[in-house]
């Protein structure tokens, strides 16, 4: 894939629900780099932490078909 084509490819982040160009894949879901960084730095007592948990519950383990 050329760098030009790759730079225009965006995916929807499972946490912020915005189209973003960079991030990680967790099973079949995409987490943008902004949310990944914020998630890692959020303390468990922060109100944002519950929001992140709620959004991450959307991620399900893909089934393995044999």
């Amino acid at each position: 894939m050329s760098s030009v084509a790759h730079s225009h490819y965006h995916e929807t982040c499972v946490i912020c629900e915005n189209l973003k160009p960079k991030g990680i894949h967790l099973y079949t879901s995409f987490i943008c780099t902004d949310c990944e960084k914020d998630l890692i730095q959020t303390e468990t007592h922060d109100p944002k932490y519950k929001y992140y948990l709620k959004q991450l519950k959307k991620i399900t383990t893909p089934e393995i078909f044999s």
Side-chain angles (χ1 to χ4, degrees):
M1 180 180 279
S2 73
S3 60
V4 174
H6 191 264
S7 66
H8 295 293
Y9 184 71
H10 291 67
E11 292 184 73
T12 302
C13 176
V14 73
I15 295 177
C16 68
E17 299 177 345
N18 292 317
L19 286 173
K20 298 287 183 99
K22 295 182 181 178
I24 60 171
H25 289 94
L26 183 60
Y27 298 117
T28 58
S29 299
F30 173 77
I31 300 173
C32 71
T33 53
D34 296 332
C35 288
E36 177 192 6
K37 288 177 186 174
D38 202 27
L39 176 65
I40 291 168
Q41 296 173 354
T42 302
E43 299 290 333
T44 55
H45 57 80
D46 189 317
K48 287 192 297 184
Y49 187 76
K50 286 187 180 183
Y51 169 76
Y52 288 131
L53 286 179
K54 178 181 156 239
Q55 295 301 93
L56 289 171
K57 286 180 182 178
K58 294 179 186 178
I59 299 172
T60 58
T61 307
E63 296 180 22
I64 299 174
F65 299 101
S66 54

